[in-house]
Amino acid sequence: MNSSQLMASGQRKPRVAVVFGGRSSEHAISCITAGSVLRAIDREVYDVVPVGIAADGRWVLESGDTSRLALHGSALPAVDGERAAISLMREEAHTDLVVSEPGQPPQTLGEVDVVFPVLHGPWGEDGTIQGMFEMAGVRYVGAGVLASALGMDKAFMKIALAAAGLPVTPGIVVTRREWEADRGDVLARVESLGYPSFSKPSRAGSSMGISKIHDASEVAGALEEAFAHDPKVLVEVSMEGAREVECGVLGSLEGPPETSRPGELRVGGDHEFYDFEAKYLPDQHTEIDIPADLPADVEERLRAMALRAFEAVSCEGLARVDFFLMPDDSVVINELNTMPGFTPTSMYPQLWAAAGLTYPQLVDRLIQLALQRDTGLR
């Protein structure tokens, strides 16, 4: 419904709370994403409330100044934890946003119709905050509790995808407890995969804590780097010679989810893989081809697998499915991301822009999908 229709009907504009920041190591990336989403939402159609979660977990009513949330050189943005506190208050038939300032009575901003959580990493993308929204009876953008948890934990995600008959990258799980108890056994298990391999935190994103392991001398340092983000680490075979191809999945207002044409990432310069700097910092020689140059049958297979992966973890709203395309045209799923990078220059929005869906239209589609969904198990 557009603004003219709203005014004619006498209805108020739907209130959208954009929640960002959070306690994970991806706090800054979430802030950057939020700045893009806040700029894209049509204020004539929606009432928008920016809600920041500081690094220590405090919820605050953030500024509407999106320039604060931009990446300036290598300086990373953060939520201002000193601002007025904000919370969700469940009433009999709805949930309100309530602001509390020292020495002042609580102020109700009104009912929240939908939350757009642009949180990356643990305590936001992993089902925890989705569970809170479910308990509060609040509609929200994106995957539910189970899909979010599976998408965040790459080890369990691979189990779910493999159970659905989908090919995944071979690898092992190493816990900090196992590493501290018997390093020799862990080193032997890593050795059995062969080199090169990759170590990565099981429950982190934005390429945080990922290392390429070229030989046995690099195993300890790579594991310690990953353990700095998560006590559970994946070590996976390096898919040498593979092309990195990604496909977007987007819920439809009517009918089944849609898939985008795949896009390909090509990383140059001094980067051996698509690390944090290659993703987010300027002048890092990362090139994106949309659509990827693929034979028609390979593209069709990728898109079908992306949809199967989306359904295998009971995903909703959106997801980006990342593939390794091997030289023999065999396909392996690297991972599924339930809240992919979402700035206008991120792969997921670019995939849909190439399909004719602009960034503001994509944001609007996701909000409309959330407004349509039921809360709980209805």
Side-chain angles (χ1 to χ4, degrees):
M1 182 178 292
N2 60 35
S3 56
S4 298
Q5 291 171 319
L6 283 168
M7 288 186 289
S9 66
Q11 297 180 36
R12 66 172 178 82
K13 294 185 287 187
R15 184 167 292 112
V16 180
V18 178
V19 179
F20 60 95
R23 295 168 52 199
S24 82
S25 57
E26 297 177 77
H27 180 101
I29 304 306
S30 174
C31 291
I32 295 168
T33 301
S36 299
V37 171
L38 288 166
R39 284 189 292 272
I41 298 177
D42 187 344
R43 304 307 173 95
E44 292 189 1
V45 177
Y46 301 104
D47 180 20
V48 182
V49 181
V51 178
I53 302 179
D56 62 3
R58 284 178 290 173
W59 287 49
V60 298
L61 178 61
E62 253 290 358
S63 164
D65 180 9
T66 57
S67 65
R68 284 194 56 254
L69 303 175
L71 181 65
H72 300 286
S74 59
L76 300 176
V79 169
D80 180 1
E82 300 303 316
R83 296 183 62 85
I86 192 168
S87 59
L88 296 173
M89 180 176 291
R90 181 63 181 169
E91 299 293 343
E92 183 176 348
H94 57 86
T95 300
D96 290 341
L97 286 165
V98 178
V99 178
S100 302
E101 297 192 69
Q104 301 291 327
Q107 177 187 358
T108 300
L109 297 183
E111 179 180 356
V112 58
D113 297 290
V114 62
V115 175
F116 199 135
V118 289
L119 297 155
H120 299 298
W123 307 292
E125 192 181 350
D126 60 351
T128 50
I129 202 166
Q130 287 78 10
M132 188 192 77
F133 296 147
E134 293 282 355
M135 292 182 67
V138 178
R139 292 172 173 81
Y140 56 94
V141 169
V145 175
L146 177 62
S148 296
L150 285 173
M152 188 78 258
D153 192 319
K154 298 177 183 65
F156 282 104
M157 174 185 61
K158 290 173 68 173
I159 292 172
L161 295 178
L166 293 163
V168 296
T169 312
I172 61 172
V173 175
V174 178
T175 65
R176 192 199 306 273
R177 178 182 56 79
E178 291 171 334
W179 176 239
E180 293 174 349
D182 192 341
R183 294 195 173 199
D185 177 67
V186 170
L187 289 170
R189 291 169 59 206
V190 173
E191 186 85 20
S192 70
L193 293 174
Y195 300 108
S197 58
F198 278 94
S199 64
K200 62 178 72 172
S202 185
R203 295 164 291 191
S206 296
S207 297
M208 296 282 191
I210 298 182
S211 302
K212 188 170 185 177
I213 305 172
H214 300 87
D215 55 52
S217 68
E218 297 179 350
V219 173
L223 290 177
E224 292 295 346
E225 172 66 21
F227 284 140
H229 298 270
D230 189 347
K232 182 166 70 171
V233 169
L234 277 175
V235 183
E236 297 178 323
V237 172
S238 176
M239 309 302 285
E240 294 294 293
R243 297 166 63 185
E244 294 191 50
V245 181
E246 302 181 352
C247 185
V249 185
L250 177 63
S252 174
L253 295 171
E254 296 180 3
E258 304 173 52
T259 57
S260 71
R261 296 196 67 184
E264 181 176 4
L265 289 165
R266 291 185 289 109
V267 180
D270 297 327
H271 301 278
E272 281 196 271
F273 62 96
Y274 197 42
D275 58 13
F276 180 89
E277 287 78 12
K279 279 187 178 181
Y280 296 109
L281 300 185
D283 303 321
Q284 295 299 315
H285 309 289
T286 299
E287 297 182 9
I288 297 175
D289 295 329
I290 302 174
D293 184 12
L294 301 172
D297 63 317
V298 173
E299 177 174 333
E300 184 179 353
R301 185 153 37 101
L302 279 168
R303 295 176 74 167
M305 289 176 65
L307 188 56
R308 285 176 59 197
F310 187 85
E311 293 173 339
V313 299
S314 299
C315 209
E316 296 175 79
L318 74 163
R320 192 194 69 230
V321 185
D322 301 347
F323 298 91
F324 291 127
L325 177 62
M326 304 307 294
D328 63 358
D329 283 345
S330 61
V331 177
V332 175
I333 295 180
N334 179 23
E335 63 181 72
L336 179 149
N337 196 317
T338 59
M339 182 49 72
F342 208 82
T343 69
T345 58
S346 298
M347 176 64 100
Y348 185 84
Q350 285 197 63
L351 290 170
W352 289 107
L357 195 65
T358 68
Y359 188 83
Q361 289 171 334
L362 178 60
V363 169
D364 185 72
R365 165 86 75 91
L366 291 170
I367 294 172
Q368 289 297 318
L369 285 168
L371 286 168
Q372 281 189 356
R373 78 192 294 173
D374 285 325
T375 57
L377 298 178
R378 294 191 296 274

